[in-house]
Amino acid sequence: MPNRIIVLLALVFAPVLAHAQAWTQEPGQVYLKVTQGFANASERYDANGDVVPYDPNTEGTPFRDRSRYLYGEVGLAPSLTLFGTLPYKRLFVRDGSFDTPVERRASDLGSAMLGLRVGLTEAVGWNESPNALAMNVALTVPLGYRRNVAPTVGPGQVDAQFVLAYGRSFWPLPAYGQAAIGYRHRSSVFDLSRIVECPASQPDDAEEVCLNDGGAEVDYSDELLLSLEAGYTLFGRLLVQGLFDVAWSVKAPETIETAADVQPEAFPQQRFVRTGLGATVNLFGETGLSVQAFTAPYARNALRAVEVFVGIETRW
């Protein structure tokens, strides 16, 4: 199967974690995807992997995530692609510390990712084969948000990520597979996010709350990363996918004591195994509509939620 078709098929993986990590874009080619995320949680996994209430003082669904993501790739040169993700975080968290629970809201730019994908296919002599190999190197950079204002939209520090990805086309079958392994270094560089001075008084029902003792520089654990992906195209225009990914903190998960400490990004040590399904339909030309859904059959220090992502993508 031509390389550009394989890239198009593989470019619809989860918007936050990975895309066609094994294939690079041709010089001058551009790929864009806009994604709307949906996640609701009334429970979480504790440090032992047991399911506990997200907040025992609230009922219903105390956590909702409606974030949006802009992802892009551009081919800079043969075997060299620039990629990046810009998230607009939209979080709704019910605070159960009052007699009448209060819903807090956050809308802000989160932590952006910017990286380079270096194709290694020719270097290992696979340029005429159905195999692909690439190294992905990326930085995750906070975009100036306030760490001591809850709900927080990110952890607040700069991270570095290294992922080696292998992919294979099964042409003449309209199918592909991909596997990636990597490492995420959670740094102690918090200078690009802010701690602001809190007002003297704040109403109990404020949409956001400033914490005078919040915004600590948390010692987040480095993580091992693994992802597997397979896709098959039906009727020449419908791609179906099986998805699997793992983030495994190097340090063992530690107990989080209270619901007030459970911010969306405040699990310093987190381990999860996610499985998912995806489908993308080609609408016209090289524009498609995609849907992916994920759940975590195993997790420690993580939200218990079904995550759904709906996106529209195009390339030229």
Side-chain angles (χ1 to χ4, degrees):
M1 178 180 286
N3 183 66
R4 66 189 302 273
I5 298 178
I6 286 293
V7 172
L8 181 61
L9 294 181
L11 271 169
V12 292
F13 187 44
V16 182
L17 293 180
H19 288 264
Q21 297 172 315
W23 287 273
T24 56
Q25 297 283 352
E26 295 296 326
Q29 287 190 335
V30 176
Y31 169 85
L32 289 176
K33 181 173 184 178
V34 178
T35 303
Q36 173 67 60
F38 301 89
N40 299 332
S42 58
E43 297 173 319
R44 62 182 175 92
Y45 296 95
D46 68 10
N48 298 314
D50 297 325
V51 177
V52 299
Y54 178 88
D55 183 348
N57 298 315
T58 64
E59 297 179 351
T61 306
F63 172 80
R64 292 178 292 138
D65 187 336
R66 298 294 183 269
S67 299
R68 297 173 184 142
Y69 305 89
L70 173 63
Y71 176 83
E73 296 187 357
V74 59
L76 300 180
S79 300
L80 184 63
T81 295
L82 176 72
F83 64 90
T85 301
L86 179 65
Y88 182 68
K89 304 293 289 184
R90 299 173 64 240
L91 305 175
F92 306 84
V93 182
R94 191 175 304 144
D95 185 347
S97 58
F98 300 91
D99 292 337
T100 301
V102 176
E103 183 172 84
R104 312 293 188 189
R105 303 184 179 190
S107 298
D108 204 348
L109 293 173
S111 294
M113 176 179 284
L114 185 65
L116 285 174
R117 179 174 306 128
V118 181
L120 305 176
T121 304
E122 293 187 10
V124 296
W126 289 349
N127 49 311
E128 298 298 329
S129 81
N131 301 299
L133 186 69
M135 173 61 72
N136 297 259
V137 180
L139 289 178
T140 302
V141 181
L143 297 178
Y145 49 76
R146 302 160 296 168
R147 295 201 312 276
N148 64 325
V149 173
T152 179
V153 299
Q157 89 282 23
V158 176
D159 292 341
Q161 184 169 299
F162 309 89
V163 174
L164 181 66
Y166 165 77
R168 182 177 176 87
S169 162
F170 296 101
W171 187 256
L173 289 175
Y176 74 95
Q178 182 171 247
I181 187 169
Y183 190 86
R184 179 182 294 129
H185 172 59
R186 312 295 297 273
S187 83
S188 58
V189 179
F190 285 82
D191 302 287
L192 299 182
S193 57
R194 297 175 290 142
I195 294 180
V196 296
E197 184 176 350
C198 296
S201 62
Q202 303 176 74
D204 291 344
D205 61 351
E207 288 191 354
E208 59 182 28
V209 58
C210 185
L211 306 173
N212 283 305
D213 57 350
E217 296 183 359
V218 178
D219 182 20
Y220 289 94
S221 172
D222 288 3
E223 295 173 337
L224 301 173
L225 307 174
L226 172 69
S227 66
L228 302 174
E229 174 185 357
Y232 193 96
T233 301
L234 301 171
F235 317 115
R237 61 186 303 116
L238 176 64
L239 170 68
V240 293
Q241 293 173 297
L243 307 165
F244 176 89
D245 67 273
V246 177
W248 198 268
S249 61
V250 175
K251 297 179 182 177
E254 297 178 359
T255 300
I256 293 177
E257 297 294 342
T258 67
D261 296 325
V262 184
Q263 290 291 335
E265 301 284 352
F267 295 102
Q269 308 88 24
Q270 183 178 55
R271 293 176 178 175
F272 64 78
V273 176
R274 281 197 323 177
T275 58
L277 295 173
T280 298
V281 60
N282 179 259
L283 299 176
F284 53 86
E286 295 195 80
T287 298
L289 177 67
S290 67
V291 178
Q292 290 92 37
F294 294 86
T295 188
Y298 173 85
R300 297 173 65 183
N301 276 353
L303 297 179
R304 185 171 185 259
V306 174
E307 301 170 84
V308 178
F309 300 97
V310 179
I312 188 165
E313 59 195 58
T314 189
R315 57 177 289 161
W316 63 88

